[in-house]
Amino acid sequence: MSLENKVVLVTGSASGIGAACLLEAARRGARVVVNYSRSADEAEATAELARQAGAEVLVEQADISQDAQVRKMVARVEEAWGGVDVLVNNAGYTSFVDFDDLEGLTDEVWQRTLGVNLMGTWYASRAVTASMRARGAGAIVNVSSVGAVTASGSSLAYVVSKSGVLTMTKALARTLGPEIRVNAVAAGFVQTRWWSKQGYGDEGKVDELARSVGEKTVLQQVATPEDVADAVLWLAEGARMVTGETILVDSGLHLGAPAVSGRR
């Protein structure tokens, strides 16, 4: 599926991985929908970059954990452009809670994490299905996490939610074919400004964190948002015979420590 003149909706695309996916789709000739929940200024900045790349752009505010808001957003896209050809379920939420802090993993943390990561993926996928089928084809790409495979990460609730996304990917692939392909990308540590917002310090300290994590991977480096976007766009545009699949973009982190330390 060439993305030329196709409609691409990326949830949580104001910044980070979502913005990288959206801007790459714009560069490939797609009409793009920037979705955000609270970051209006960042969303507008990303939209302007997409316009500079020559794309038509819609900017839509919606909390994807709320089904009614998702349906309204998709309805506005359908009114403007007739439907959605590619959906990237990127929006995510986490709260850092140690795995052994069972009491700290409150109902509120569970509900928000599952609401955005799992239910949001479901709501958006369901909302675009009718228009994709009416257009005769479509692609959904879900952004998950290597934590879904390794069962380690920011919280127990987070890895459970992202594991659910992988199972949903397979189930939807079986349900929505042959018209709609559904795949996932499981990202490892991705170096974005998000880490600074989580209290890890300035850009230099985030660079240090990235180097530390990278040393634990087979490829000895961590991914950028653009690395993840490359995999997402391949699944959306080029993987004609691929559905129900998950690609890990984690520098080999899920394999454990490199078999040989140093260089030969």
Side-chain angles (χ1 to χ4, degrees), residues 214-233:
E215 289 171 357
K216 299 178 177 66
T217 73
V218 174
L219 298 185
Q220 296 287 284
Q221 58 186 314
V222 298
T224 66
E226 291 72 24
D227 292 323
V228 181
D230 284 345
V232 169
L233 270 293

Side-chain angles (χ1 to χ4, degrees), residues 154 160 211:
S154 52
V160 168
R211 284 193 295 273

Side-chain angles (χ1 to χ4, degrees), residues 94-227:
T94 193
S95 179
F96 285 83
V97 180
D98 289 341
F99 272 51
D100 60 358
D101 185 8
L102 302 185
E103 296 300 329
L105 200 62
T106 63
D107 285 356
E108 289 77 14
V109 172
W110 271 108
Q111 289 164 4
R112 182 61 179 163
T113 305
L114 292 174
V116 174
N117 298 348
L118 190 59
M119 295 309 298
T121 297
W122 164 245
Y123 292 147
S125 298
R126 180 173 62 182
V128 303
T129 294
S131 70
M132 284 187 177
R133 282 179 165 160
R135 291 156 94 86
I140 297 172
V141 184
N142 300 321
V143 178
S144 182
S145 168
V146 66
V149 177
T150 62
S152 62
S154 52
S155 78
L156 193 153
Y158 178 77
V159 301
V160 168
S161 72
K162 289 299 189 179
S163 179
V165 168
L166 297 188
T167 300
M168 186 185 297
T169 297
K170 293 180 181 180
L172 284 176
R174 296 183 66 186
T175 302
L176 301 182
E179 300 93 345
I180 303 170
R181 296 182 301 105
V182 186
N183 292 289
V185 170
F189 183 103
V190 180
Q191 191 167 0
T192 69
R193 289 179 297 165
W194 181 85
W195 290 99
S196 295
K197 295 179 181 179
Q198 300 305 310
Y200 281 82
D202 59 22
E203 186 174 341
K205 291 183 178 178
V206 174
D207 288 343
E208 183 179 342
L209 175 64
R211 284 193 295 273
S212 175
V213 174
E215 289 171 357
K216 299 178 177 66
T217 73
V218 174
L219 298 185
Q220 296 287 284
Q221 58 186 314
V222 298
T224 66
E226 291 72 24
D227 292 323

